[in-house]
C-alpha cells in the first residue's frame, strides 16, 4: 500500500508574511510538518508541494530532495488544496509511483505528531470510509454565536435563539482541526468540494494540538504553548 504524505507550503502568504518559515522551538513550520511525516510508520513518501526554491532548501536538510516545483496557477491564495494534491499525485504517477492514499499535513498546525498522523491513517484503512480528518471540539458554544445586520443590530444564528444559558448544557460540536486530512486517491481524483463526504471519519484531537497559525496572535499563542508543553 502506497501512502503519500503531502506538505503544502506556498510562498507569499498575505496576513502573516512567510508564515511557513516561522520558527517554533528552533524549527520552521515546514520542518516540523516534514519531520513528523518522516516519522510516520505508514507514509511511504514525504512530499513538499511548494512554488519556492527557498522552501525547497529545507528538503536537503532532511534528505527529502526532489525536482518538483508547484506551478504558479496552483500557488495562489484561491487555489484548491485538492488541485494541489491532485497535481502532486499526477507528478508521482508520471514518475512511476501510484499513491493509494494521500495524507495532507498543513505546516500551520505545528503540534501534530507522527503518532497522531498514524492514528488517523490506521482508522481509515481499517474502515469502509473514503476519508478521515482530525477534528477538535469547538471551544465556544455555537448557540451563543450572533449575526450582525447592516444596522449593527444583532441576532442569534438560530431561529429559536440561544436555548442554553450554561456552556456545559450546550450540545458538543466539532470543527476540522486542520492538522490531518487522509483521502483515498480515488476520492481525491473526483472530489470538488470540501470534506466531509458521507463517508468521512472524524478523529478527535485535543485543542492544544489543533492550533492553526494564520495570524500574529495565533503565532504568539503557539510559541507560548511550546514553552510549557513537549510538543
Amino acid at each position: 500500500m502506497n501512502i503519500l504524505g503531502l506538505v503544502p507550503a506556498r510562498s507569499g502568504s498575505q496576513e502573516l508574511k512567510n508564515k511557513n518559515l516561522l520558527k517554533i522551538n528552533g524549527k520552521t513550520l515546514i520542518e516540523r510538518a516534514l519531520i513528523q511525516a518522516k516519522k510516520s510508520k505508514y507514509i511511504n513518501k514525504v512530499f513538499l508541494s511548494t512554488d519556492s526554491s527557498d522552501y525547497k532548501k529545507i528538503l536537503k536538510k532532511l534528505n527529502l530532495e526532489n525536482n518538483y516545483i508547484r506551478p504558479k496557477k496552483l500557488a495562489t491564495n484561491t487555489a484548491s488544496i485538492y488541485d494541489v494534491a491532485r497535481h502532486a499525485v499526477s507528478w508521482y504517477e508520471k514518475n512511476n509511483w501510484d499513491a493509494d492514499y494521500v495524507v495532507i499535513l498543513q505546516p500551520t498546525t505545528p503540534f501534530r505528531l507522527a503518532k497522531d498522523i498514524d492514528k488517523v491513517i490506521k482508522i481509515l484503512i481499517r474502515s469502509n470510509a473514503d476519508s478521515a480528518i482530525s477534528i477538535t471540539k469547538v471551544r465556544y458554544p455555537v448557540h451563543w454565536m450572533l449575526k450582525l445586520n447592516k444596522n449593527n443590530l444583532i441576532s442569534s444564528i438560530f431561529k429559536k435563539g440561544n436555548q442554553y444559558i450554561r456552556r456545559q448544557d450546550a450540545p458538543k460540536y466539532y470543527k476540522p482541526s486542520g492538522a490531518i486530512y487522509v483521502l483515498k486517491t480515488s476520492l481525491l481524483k473526483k472530489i470538488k468540494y470540501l470534506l466531509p463526504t458521507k463517508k468521512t471519519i472524524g478523529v478527535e484531537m485535543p485543542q492544544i494540538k489543533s492550533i492553526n497559525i494564520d495570524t500574529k496572535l495565533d503565532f504568539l499563542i503557539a510559541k507560548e504553548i511550546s514553552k510549557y508543553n513537549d510538543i
Side-chain angles (χ1 to χ4, degrees):
M1 185 176 294
N2 291 335
I3 300 180
L4 175 64
L6 174 66
V7 177
R10 72 177 183 88
S11 59
S13 52
Q14 294 179 328
E15 188 162 351
L16 196 56
K17 190 174 181 181
N18 288 323
K19 66 180 177 183
N20 290 313
L21 295 181
L22 295 174
K23 290 186 177 182
I24 293 178
N25 288 340
K27 291 185 175 63
T28 66
L29 300 187
I30 293 176
E31 285 178 274
R32 292 177 69 92
L34 292 170
I35 288 169
Q36 296 306 317
K38 279 190 72 175
K39 289 181 178 179
S40 166
K41 296 176 183 177
Y42 295 101
I43 291 174
N44 308 108
K45 290 188 182 293
V46 179
F47 187 74
L48 176 66
S49 174
T50 184
D51 59 318
S52 168
S53 56
D54 287 336
Y55 288 11
K56 282 181 66 69
K57 292 175 184 176
I58 294 170
L59 291 174
K60 190 172 184 179
K61 288 173 60 177
L62 302 175
N63 296 316
L64 291 170
E65 289 187 87
N66 61 56
N67 61 1
Y68 177 89
I69 284 285
R70 193 195 299 185
K72 288 184 179 179
K73 67 179 181 179
L74 294 178
T76 66
N77 59 3
T78 58
S80 161
I81 188 62
Y82 298 138
D83 285 340
V84 170
R86 280 189 281 264
H87 193 270
V89 166
S90 175
W91 184 85
Y92 266 112
E93 288 175 346
K94 290 174 183 176
N95 285 276
N96 302 312
W97 189 83
D98 296 334
D100 299 298
Y101 291 85
V102 178
V103 184
I104 300 173
L105 305 168
Q106 299 180 113
T108 46
T109 49
F111 298 132
R112 141 250 299 128
L113 300 177
K115 64 181 181 181
D116 303 313
I117 298 168
D118 288 347
K119 180 180 178 180
V120 179
I121 294 172
K122 184 165 64 173
I123 288 173
L124 177 57
I125 290 174
R126 291 180 176 179
S127 75
N128 292 317
D130 57 22
S131 51
I133 67 174
S134 57
I135 60 174
T136 192
K137 284 190 182 77
V138 177
R139 287 184 292 171
Y140 188 87
V142 296
H143 289 79
W144 293 2
M145 291 184 179
L146 305 170
K147 295 184 289 187
L148 183 69
N149 70 16
K150 61 182 180 181
N151 296 318
N152 292 327
L153 295 175
I154 57 176
S155 60
S156 173
I157 64 172
F158 292 93
K159 287 183 178 179
K160 293 183 179 180
N162 174 27
Q163 304 294 306
Y164 303 96
I165 296 173
R166 299 195 318 154
R167 179 178 56 83
Q168 300 95 311
D169 297 332
K172 289 183 174 64
Y173 287 94
Y174 297 83
K175 64 178 182 178
S177 77
I180 305 161
Y181 297 82
V182 187
L183 303 84
K184 287 183 176 179
T185 304
S186 56
L187 172 65
L188 173 66
K189 288 185 175 182
K190 63 185 181 183
I191 195 168
K192 296 179 181 179
Y193 45 84
L194 292 176
L195 293 174
T197 68
K198 291 181 179 179
K199 296 175 68 177
T200 299
I201 294 173
V203 182
E204 187 175 357
M205 283 182 68
Q207 291 177 348
I208 201 167
K209 285 189 175 184
S210 303
I211 297 293
N212 277 266
I213 299 177
D214 291 312
T215 66
K216 187 174 181 179
L217 178 59
D218 296 333
F219 181 51
L220 293 174
I221 291 171
K223 287 191 74 172
E224 198 64 22
I225 289 172
S226 70
K227 292 178 183 178
Y228 304 102
N229 295 273
D230 186 23
I231 54 178

